Amino acid sequence: MRNWFHSWRAAIRIARRDAWRSKGRSLLVLSMIALPILGVSAFDLTYRSSELAPAQQLQRDIGAADARFKDAQVEGQPILQDPQGDQSDTVEDFSKGDKPWPNGPTDVKKVLPAGATILTDASGSAKLTTAYGLLTTEVRELKAADPVAEGIMRLREGRFPEKSGEVAATTRFLEDSGLVVGSTLSARGFDREYRITGAYELPSELKTQQINALPGDFLSPYGKAVEKSGLSAPGYSTTYLVKQAGGFTWNMVQQINTKGVKVTSRLVVLNPPPRSEIPLYERGGYGDYAQSAAAQAGAMVPVVTIVGLAMLEICLLAGPAFAVGARRSRRQLGLVGANGGARSHIRAIVLSGGLVIGVAAALAGTVLALILTFALQPLLETYMGQRFGSFTVRPLELLGIAALAVLTGLLSAIVPAVTASRQTVLASLTGRRGVRRASRVLPLIGLGALLLGGALALYGSLATDQVVVVAGGSAIAELGVVAMTPALVGLFGRTGRWLPLSPRLALRDAVRNRGRTAPAVAAVLAAVAGTVAVSTYATSVEAQNEAEYQPDLPNGAVSTFVMEEGGRDAATAVEAVERTLPVDVRADVRRLVVGRPGCSPWGDEKGCGSYEILVPPANQCPLWRAAQDGSDPGDKFTTEQRRALAKDWRCDTGNRGGSVPTQDGLLVADAPLLKVLGIDDPGAARALAEGKFVGFDRTQVVGNSKDPKEAKETKDAALKAGARPGTKAGEPGTVSIKLIPDNKAAIRAAEMRKDLPGEVKTFTAYEVPGSPKSYGIEGVISPATAKAAGMTTAPLGAYFTTDRLPSAEQQQKLDAELAKLGGSIDLTLERGFVSSYSLVLLALTLFAGLVTIGAAGIATGLAQADAEADLKTLAAVGAPPRVRRTLSGFQCGVVAAMGVVLGSVAGVLPAIGLRLTDERQQTAFYNKALDEGWGMVSDNPPDLMIVIPWGTLGALLVLVPLGAALLAALVTRSRGALARRAAH
């Protein structure tokens, strides 16, 4: 035991001395190992520091309160909830029977305990005035200076509001608005001004734009001012922070749940009840999946895979570097053997080199991670949008990450250690390389792994839907190719007979010394294979997306829609587009409004309704036609019938491109809209002028049925919907629009499977022939027609054509103009298909190029160490100095070329396998959609494209080896020190 300790101690001292002498090589290997350790350790520190303990999270959520009471919006029905108060469900199952689902407020104040300290916390939004224009901002009414709210907001400057007319603002709002503490602000349409008294931040939401006011000082008066202007008041939600002696136990929380109120209790969150005491978890679909064993195991699979591949890559890159050190120290190792050292001692010396570098890399990576993470904490918090709970260091995790560095160093030195120990003492002292025979077993193992991995990948792509099987098979196949690398390098040597002298010498030298060539080639292979796999998959997906691309508008056309506040800013947005872009034709569009002009399209505000285009019974898809008993109408059809009906014109819901933010795709516009859409049909323009409904969806138009029963059914359906007897509703060639005066009542009626009558407006329809692209628009009526029918309209926006495609600068100017309006504006500029993977492919190519040049450079350094005697002989017999540069360049280029060729071939396999898996999954979905009658299916089954990225391959196959060769030639010295060459 004592001898073992002393021998390893001496070996480590020798390795430490050699590492210090060869500072450049040591620093190179140390950097390769330390950089990943630095990244992983920094990630661990950042993740753990940002991970909040339950007590820290509670402080940010409820401050110093004992609980937060929230309305579950179930009209006071008893509920079940989880311990955190995030998930809830009604005790009664309303999905069965005819009872409507409860959807309304509960009076939480009645549930608040007497004698407790209570703070109101209300949140809404308003469009606030800023230094640049308007900005939609969250408004929070909370007495933030109260001790109960301590921790929810962190004051950075000034003070929280103390009286009416004062607000505080988040630092992000002040940055984006151009305002400062002391400035005044107001809201659009609100005549009150507020002074900003302080700046604060939300620790978990640093990027939130928010202002804080005292309870009742902003939201309520602002809502009244908005309603006074004819618009719908913005809604807001209210919760209650409660503090009472003893807090709220789980039993107390469950008792409060019987009143339809959710509770986030400090006691319960810090001491959660057993899962068996949580009734909500007994129902399917509830629970914390993120903490389950399945979720954690699933999350570990990619982590282990990435770590394993990274360690393999580092070992392949660092192994030749340790071989360089062993080669340069062969005389020293020979002296160890000459003085009685065994092969185990020589292996220990070389392995100690890996141990020393690994320990140094672990220390350097860990220390740098600690320093950088601590120093960059403010930047990291800003990037993540939340403050750290504390700077958390978990020693065991950092120790495990550091152990990976030591293990990587040892694994990298194993092959050089074994190779060095096999050298005879005489060969080491004289510098002779001897005769080395490549292993015959390793290539066979590699071939077996290649066949097994290929079979797994093929099975995964053709017989299962498991991407993991494809990825695992591809990884095994790639490892098989790595194992076969020495034999494949030998096959490359046979091409040398056709090469000129210098590259032929370089290739033969690489083949003769496969021990140093194979690891470098394998390192290049691994990097290039990953790049080619991702590039091939991404290029194939991109080509598929381009082939299936549906434009939102004609090429170069523009649309802008404003839905907020009754389209108040629509005219301003339209003018901004016309002023900024090269507009040719402008077509203003409006939308139908039922109720006040300020009603939102699908809101349930008081006095607001909606509309729907009535689809005649004969045109309704049989698979979706509602049954009176609430059953699935598709169940009465066989699979063959559902497949046939799925392609019926009545059930065709395929993507036709574009979208319109209105019910049933109905717009109110004049003939210029048809010109923008590229619809060159004089009949359509004439129909609009004559007051007709111009339709692009034939299901909305009553057909000319020859069946009297069918015609009567259509007429009866129109009368049932609210059409007046004697009108032309339900007659052939017409379209009927039902105006629903009360959205809330309509929702209730639908839940009870009842029809809510409304006023029906009927128009003569004109079907545009030829099924032209309408880009989401299903029907158009003119403003004059809508007015004549007594229907209210509101501004929506406009469509435009441009005389040339707008430049990026023009679009940026337009974005800046629209941002001043501070609202949500829907802007679409059709540029055709735009690639989203070009930067990814370039980055992958650069990454593979850097790894290739690095690996080839290491192999070249080892080759020069091996060939130093030959270079001295060449210099002695009069070879010009450029021979050293030329040979070095070709040696580097040969390694790079071999690795790139093998990696390109190996990388295509997983990409093809994944694409075949995608095709299988999409085909299964396509068949299921047909069997179930879902619609939304194309005429033909999926046929996914597999496209080889020839541009990326060309750069890897030509530019990377050429660049590696030139770089090696440039950094190699032309002259070496002339010395006596030992006789062999």
Side-chain angles (χ1 to χ4, degrees), residues 3 22 71 112 165 193 516 521 586 675 698 718 723 819 850 908 949:
N3 290 336
S22 304
D71 184 2
L112 298 175
E193 285 193 343
R516 59 172 161 79
V521 171
R586 165 180 160 180
K675 186 175 181 181
R698 61 184 294 196
L850 290 175
V908 172

Side-chain angles (χ1 to χ4, degrees), residues 201-269:
E201 67 180 21
L202 301 172
S204 293
E205 302 173 71
L206 297 180
K207 299 180 181 180
T208 298
Q209 300 165 337
Q210 185 186 91
I211 65 169
N212 168 243
L214 292 176
D217 192 41
F218 193 105
L219 292 173
S220 179
Y222 171 67
K224 293 177 181 177
V226 171
E227 283 187 326
K228 193 174 180 180
S229 65
L231 301 174
S232 298
Y236 59 90
S237 61
T238 303
T239 62
Y240 300 89
L241 298 174
V242 183
K243 187 173 183 64
Q244 74 168 12
F248 295 87
T249 64
W250 179 237
N251 288 335
M252 296 170 68
V253 169
Q254 290 181 304
Q255 182 63 34
I256 296 170
N257 289 160
T258 61
K259 308 298 183 181
V261 176
K262 291 192 296 184
V263 180
T264 299
S265 166
R266 184 182 300 275
L267 281 178
V268 175
V269 172

Side-chain angles (χ1 to χ4, degrees), residues 715 718-719 722-729 759-760:
K715 191 72 174 178
L719 293 173
R724 294 178 182 177
T727 61
K728 57 181 180 181
E759 186 180 2
V760 175

Side-chain angles (χ1 to χ4, degrees), residues 19 22 80 90 118 123 139 156 234 265 287 295 302 306 319 349 404 424 462 577 625 629 789 802 811 828 905 908:
S22 304
L80 305 174
T90 56
I118 297 169
S123 293
V139 179
R156 290 301 181 194
S265 166
I306 292 172
I349 292 173
L404 286 177
T424 64
L462 298 179
V577 173
R625 191 172 180 180
D629 58 357
T802 55
Q811 185 166 1
T828 302
V905 175
V908 172

Side-chain angles (χ1 to χ4, degrees), residues 766-784:
Y766 174 85
E767 288 187 66
V768 180
S771 300
K773 271 188 172 293
S774 59
Y775 305 99
I777 301 172
E778 297 184 12
V780 182
I781 59 174
S782 68

Side-chain angles (χ1 to χ4, degrees), residues 183-460:
S183 300
T184 58
L185 62 78
S186 184
R188 186 179 191 178
F190 195 27
D191 57 3
R192 290 184 61 180
E193 285 193 343
Y194 294 81
R195 181 168 297 278
I196 301 175
T197 62
Y200 67 94
E201 67 180 21
L202 301 172
S204 293
E205 302 173 71
L206 297 180
K207 299 180 181 180
T208 298
Q209 300 165 337
Q210 185 186 91
I211 65 169
N212 168 243
L214 292 176
D217 192 41
F218 193 105
L219 292 173
S220 179
Y222 171 67
K224 293 177 181 177
V226 171
E227 283 187 326
K228 193 174 180 180
S229 65
L231 301 174
S232 298
Y236 59 90
S237 61
T238 303
T239 62
Y240 300 89
L241 298 174
V242 183
K243 187 173 183 64
Q244 74 168 12
F248 295 87
T249 64
W250 179 237
N251 288 335
M252 296 170 68
V253 169
Q254 290 181 304
Q255 182 63 34
I256 296 170
N257 289 160
T258 61
K259 308 298 183 181
V261 176
K262 291 192 296 184
V263 180
T264 299
S265 166
R266 184 182 300 275
L267 281 178
V268 175
V269 172
L270 295 179
N271 303 284
R275 189 178 180 88
S276 59
E277 296 181 13
I278 305 173
L280 182 69
Y281 288 171
E282 296 177 4
R283 297 188 175 185
Y286 292 95
D288 193 354
Y289 173 76
Q291 300 300 324
S292 66
Q296 294 176 355
M300 286 301 297
V301 170
V303 173
V304 172
T305 303
I306 292 172
V307 170
L309 291 176
M311 289 182 63
L312 173 64
E313 183 71 16
I314 294 171
C315 291
L316 292 172
L317 286 170
F322 284 112
V324 170
R327 190 81 70 223
R328 292 184 185 275
S329 304
R330 57 190 170 190
R331 181 173 177 78
Q332 174 183 272
L333 296 176
L335 289 173
V336 171
N339 284 277
R343 290 187 174 183
S344 60
H345 295 139
I346 295 174
R347 285 195 296 269
I349 292 173
V350 180
L351 281 174
S352 296
L355 180 63
V356 168
I357 297 294
V359 171
L363 288 174
T366 304
V367 171
L368 283 175
L370 287 166
I371 294 173
L372 289 176
T373 305
F374 184 78
L376 298 177
Q377 178 175 337
L379 293 177
L380 292 170
E381 290 175 336
T382 301
Y383 176 77
M384 297 173 64
Q386 69 173 70
R387 296 293 179 200
F388 288 175
S390 60
F391 189 76
T392 305
V393 178
R394 298 201 176 183
L396 289 179
E397 293 181 1
L398 294 181
L399 190 63
I401 296 170
L404 286 177
V406 178
L407 179 61
T408 302
L410 287 172
L411 291 176
S412 302
I414 285 178
V415 174
V418 173
T419 303
S421 67
R422 290 178 179 175
Q423 292 257 345
T424 64
V425 175
L426 183 61
S428 297
L429 292 175
T430 59
R432 296 174 182 173
R433 285 172 286 184
V435 179
R436 302 175 182 83
R437 297 187 179 277
S439 172
R440 295 182 178 179
V441 177
L442 188 60
L444 293 177
I445 295 175
L447 179 61
L450 175 63
L451 295 176
L452 175 63
L456 278 175
L458 193 64
Y459 171 77

